[in-house]
Each structure stands twice: as C-alpha cells, then as structure tokens.
Amino acid sequence: MEALRKYFDKFILLNDEEWNDFEACLTKESIQKKDLILKENEKCDFLAFIHEGIFRFYSFNDGSERITAFFFSGDFVTNYRSFLTGKPSEHNIEALTDGVIYRIKLAQLQKLYDKHQTLERLGRLVAENLYLTVANRLDSFMFQSPADRYNELVKRNSKLLSEIPQYMIAAYLGISPETLSRIRARK
Amino acid sequence: MEALRKYFDKFILLNDEEWNDFEACLTKESIQKKDLILKENEKCDFLAFIHEGIFRFYSFNDGSERITAFFFSGDFVTNYRSFLTGKPSEHNIEALTDGVIYRIKLAQLQKLYDKHQTLERLGRLVAENLYLTVANRLDSFMFQSPADRYNELVKRNSKLLSEIPQYMIAAYLGISPETLSRIRARK
DNA sequence: ATCATTTATTGACTTTGGTCAATGAAAAGT
DNA sequence: ACTTTTCATTGACCAAAGTCAATAAATGAT
C-alpha cells in the first residue's frame, strides 16, 4: 500500500504507528468493469482508495444519466454526502474498468480519529480538499458555457478524454451528446 | 458571544478552556452597509462569524455580477478557497446591511488546531459542512432548471427573498433579472 | 412632496442548447 | 469475417433563456 501512503503524504506525514493502525482497517477488493461499488438508495458507509481503475459517480435525472464525477487511481471514491449525513445515496458508483480498491468503513475511521489527532487532521484536510473540488466544479457551472467547460477539460485532463466515451463526457459536462459533438466540430 | 458558542454546539461541545482559547482570538467589528470585508485580489486570511447582518459573496463575469452565496447571522463567512489555498480571492464579500462580525485569523486558528484536538475536529466538521453546502448547490445547477431552483429557494428560504433585491436573487440563481421576472409572472 | 435613481416588468428578437430522426463509424460478440 | 450493438455525427426543428430597449414601479434623497 505504498501508493496510498504516498497519497496521504501529500496532505500530511503519518508516523509508523498511525500508518499501521490505518492500514489495518483497509480491506482489499478486486473490482470488475461495470460493478457497482455503491448503489442508489444504499447508505455509503465507506471510503475507498483506488489502487487501480476508473470509476464514475452518477445518477438519473428523469431518464437521462448525469455524471457528477470521475475517479482515477490515487483518488478516494465515496459518496461523501451519504457518508457524512448517513442518508441513502442518490447516486451509483460504477467501475468503468477492472480495478483494485481498498475500503475503510466509516465506523473504523471514526475510531482512528479518536485515537490519533494526526488522523483527525488528515480527515480535515481531505474534507477541505473535497470542498475545493466541488467548489471549482460549481464555478464551472455558474460561470462557464458548455464549450468553455469542455475546453478547460481538454486543457486540464486530456487523459480523461482518451479513456472515457464521449457521451459520458457530455453527461459530465451537463450537456447532450449531440451538443458536445457540435462543440468539437466547430473549431 | 453566546450566539457563536451555540452555533458551535451544533457541531461539537467545547469545554471552557477550549472555548476561552478560541474566544480570545476573536476580534469584534462593526460593519456598514456596502462595506467590503474582502476585496478581489486580496488573500482571505480570516473566518468571520456573523453576529448581525447579511453578506453576499460575489464576483464579476464579463461585466455582470454573479453571486455565489448569501450569508446571514449565525453563519461563517469567508472565501474558503482563498483561505485554504492562500491564493488571492476572485470574489468580493459585501455587507448588504449594517452588521457585526467576529473575525479570527487563519494563523491563530492553526495554533488552536495544534493545541486542542477538539478544535481540530471542529475544523473538520466545518469543512465537511461547507462541502455539503456547495455539493447541494452544484446539484441544483446540474440537475434543475432555473424555475426549479427558484421554486426551491421559495420553499426553503423565503426569508431570503424578502430581504434581498430580486436582481441579486437572479444573479444567485445564475439567470438574468428578466428571466426571473418571467418565472415569477407565469404562475 | 417632489425629483432622481434604482429596480422590476414587458415586448421583440437572437442565441444556445435540446430533441428527434437518420446515417456513419467503431467496438464487441459469435 | 460478419453481424449486432453501441457510439458519434449531422440536419431540421423547437424551447428556453439572453439581450436590448422601453416603460412602470418602488425607493431614496433633498
């Protein structure tokens, strides 16, 4: 689990005791393409660290799918809202590729928070980071046109474009596949 | 500062020592209508607790104003992004009424985090809460029509409507004042 | 109370993106 | 390799929201 530890190091350095306690709570799972690691109406009581694979976080609006986020290796994936509030998830989390994740349960995480102030801090930093992610995405919806959102995606995350079908990119940008096709055509 | 302590109690109970250390870092300020407590391009190095007053958090897109949030007494107001990242703010925070706030500086808050695990936890809970707020707002932009957003606002926050001019509500909903006027007319 | 300014409404027109349908291209299954 | 299904593009049309401009209503200042 060196990958996970490295990811954490970006936020905060854990000593061996903290790390070992944390690692002991993780359970490894192999995931197949199209598996749902979280289903609508379930409570999300876990965080999952993605060792390998791509996931999408989506729900249905009327008939059509809306994708709130994609997650890649090195990311945490969870329904953070359901995780925090205990309410049932309105979203699904689906594997777009085969993969490997490490899960930790909410209850165990809370015990770790109590035991180590450093892990409590890590929890804060993770929450702050997630805040920044959604806040940026909110801005993109408030201030930018679909074409702007697409162009920024191309600039920032061209990897994503090559690995994910275009109609999902459209669902992520909040537009129809036809519109995305036209945005790409005109330029 | 009983109001602030009560607000905290919603998250977590502080003992007297923790509370006193925290309170000692607060500075009280009277604010006049139209004052900017944060200006574009400044770093936001504070959290402010609103004892009295209404504030708006806004920026300019091309020529026109976009309002990201309103804040009322009992809320914290800050540019959380600038606060967390240290980057200059792209937003202004303006008082819509006269008011009273209590500021705490980032540096002092960090000292408190180090001193008391409970305050560290409070920091996490506040971050988690802010996450939920923006995440809900993002959903409203991704999934709802302007009319839906307006109707929900009427349902949830009718107080806001009576205290804030309609063109600002429109800017908050991400639509033109004309469109809001028409949404209200048809029904 | 009057006048000036700000805010809200309404109409005409434009722009943008959505929907439906047809066609082409690519990928997956046998 | 061939068929089937999925995905992407394109066209025609529609609906929603934006813009510009005129007017009305409300608010504030003197």
Side-chain angles (χ1 to χ4, degrees):
Chain A
M1 280 318 313
E2 272 312 298
L4 180 52
R5 191 163 186 179
K6 258 189 206 136
Y7 176 74
F8 276 5
D9 287 351
K10 281 189 279 178
F11 294 108
I12 200 170
L13 293 169
L14 299 183
N15 68 32
D16 286 344
E17 193 202 339
E18 290 154 355
W19 173 254
N20 290 334
D21 282 352
F22 181 77
E23 195 178 12
C25 297
L26 298 172
T27 61
K28 184 178 182 175
E29 272 173 73
S30 290
I31 306 292
Q32 303 228 310
K33 188 173 174 172
K34 297 199 179 166
D35 281 354
L36 296 176
I37 63 169
L38 177 69
K39 293 190 189 72
E40 225 176 309
N41 299 320
E42 286 177 1
K43 273 191 209 174
C44 180
D45 65 348
F46 66 88
L47 285 180
F49 176 74
I50 304 174
H51 180 66
E52 188 72 49
I54 302 176
F55 293 80
R56 68 172 175 141
F57 183 94
Y58 73 100
S59 65
F60 293 95
N61 194 230
D62 309 307
S64 72
E65 290 178 8
R66 286 293 165 96
I67 299 175
T68 300
F70 296 106
F71 296 94
F72 300 88
S73 63
D75 292 339
F76 275 109
V77 57
T78 182
N79 182 339
Y80 203 50
R81 179 173 8 206
S82 170
F83 184 78
L84 294 177
T85 64
K87 289 184 190 156
S89 176
E90 296 169 3
H91 303 260
N92 301 284
I93 301 178
E94 185 197 45
L96 298 178
T97 63
D98 293 353
V100 176
I101 63 173
Y102 292 84
R103 287 205 213 216
I104 181 171
K105 296 275 187 170
L106 173 60
Q108 292 178 296
L109 192 64
Q110 279 166 339
K111 276 186 208 143
L112 290 174
Y113 284 162
D114 291 335
K115 189 165 176 195
H116 298 292
Q117 171 151 15
T118 309
L119 287 171
E120 177 82 54
R121 173 161 299 182
L122 186 64
R124 171 171 65 84
L125 295 171
V126 168
E128 290 176 353
N129 243 266
L130 282 167
Y131 169 86
L132 292 174
T133 306
V134 253
N136 287 337
R137 194 152 154 71
L138 173 60
D139 272 6
S140 78
F141 273 86
M142 283 192 70
F143 297 120
Q144 296 186 304
S145 70
D148 291 343
R149 286 203 290 283
Y150 175 73
N151 291 329
E152 203 164 296
L153 194 65
V154 173
K155 231 187 295 169
R156 278 188 212 280
N157 214 339
S158 54
K159 171 190 162 210
L160 188 152
L161 297 172
S162 57
E163 310 207 49
I164 290 173
Q166 198 170 302
Y167 74 94
M168 287 193 190
I169 306 278
Y172 175 71
L173 296 173
I175 59 180
S176 69
E178 292 94 332
T179 297
L180 180 52
S181 174
R182 288 183 178 114
I183 287 169
R184 285 159 48 83
R186 66 169 189 247
K187 45 177 258 171
Chain B
M1 279 318 309
E2 272 312 297
L4 181 51
R5 191 162 186 179
K6 258 192 204 134
Y7 176 75
F8 277 4
D9 287 352
K10 283 189 279 181
F11 294 107
I12 199 171
L13 293 170
L14 299 183
N15 67 31
D16 286 344
E17 193 202 341
E18 289 153 357
W19 171 254
N20 290 335
D21 281 353
F22 182 77
E23 194 177 12
C25 296
L26 298 172
T27 61
K28 184 177 183 177
E29 271 174 73
S30 290
I31 305 292
Q32 302 228 310
K33 187 171 176 174
K34 297 198 176 166
D35 281 355
L36 296 176
I37 64 170
L38 177 69
K39 292 190 190 71
E40 227 176 308
N41 300 319
E42 286 177 1
K43 274 192 206 173
C44 180
D45 65 348
F46 65 88
L47 286 179
F49 175 73
I50 304 175
H51 179 67
E52 187 72 50
I54 302 176
F55 293 81
R56 68 172 175 142
F57 183 94
Y58 73 100
S59 65
F60 293 94
N61 193 232
D62 308 306
S64 72
E65 291 178 7
R66 285 292 164 98
I67 298 176
T68 300
F70 296 105
F71 296 94
F72 300 87
S73 63
D75 293 338
F76 275 109
V77 58
T78 182
N79 181 340
Y80 203 49
R81 177 170 10 203
S82 170
F83 183 78
L84 294 177
T85 63
K87 289 184 192 156
S89 176
E90 296 170 2
H91 302 260
N92 300 284
I93 301 178
E94 184 198 46
L96 298 178
T97 63
D98 292 353
V100 176
I101 63 174
Y102 291 85
R103 289 206 212 215
I104 182 171
K105 295 276 186 170
L106 172 60
Q108 292 177 297
L109 193 64
Q110 279 165 339
K111 275 186 210 146
L112 290 174
Y113 285 161
D114 291 336
K115 188 165 176 194
H116 298 292
Q117 173 151 13
T118 309
L119 287 171
E120 177 82 54
R121 173 159 299 181
L122 185 65
R124 171 171 63 83
L125 295 171
V126 167
E128 290 176 352
N129 244 266
L130 282 167
Y131 170 86
L132 292 174
T133 305
V134 255
N136 287 338
R137 193 152 154 72
L138 174 60
D139 273 6
S140 77
F141 273 85
M142 284 192 69
F143 297 120
Q144 297 186 305
S145 69
D148 291 343
R149 286 203 290 284
Y150 175 71
N151 291 327
E152 203 164 295
L153 194 66
V154 172
K155 231 188 295 170
R156 278 187 212 283
N157 215 338
S158 55
K159 173 190 162 209
L160 188 151
L161 297 172
S162 58
E163 310 206 50
I164 291 173
Q166 196 169 303
Y167 74 94
M168 287 193 189
I169 307 278
Y172 176 71
L173 295 173
I175 59 181
S176 69
E178 292 94 330
T179 296
L180 180 53
S181 175
R182 287 180 178 115
I183 287 170
R184 285 160 46 85
R186 69 176 188 240
K187 43 176 261 179

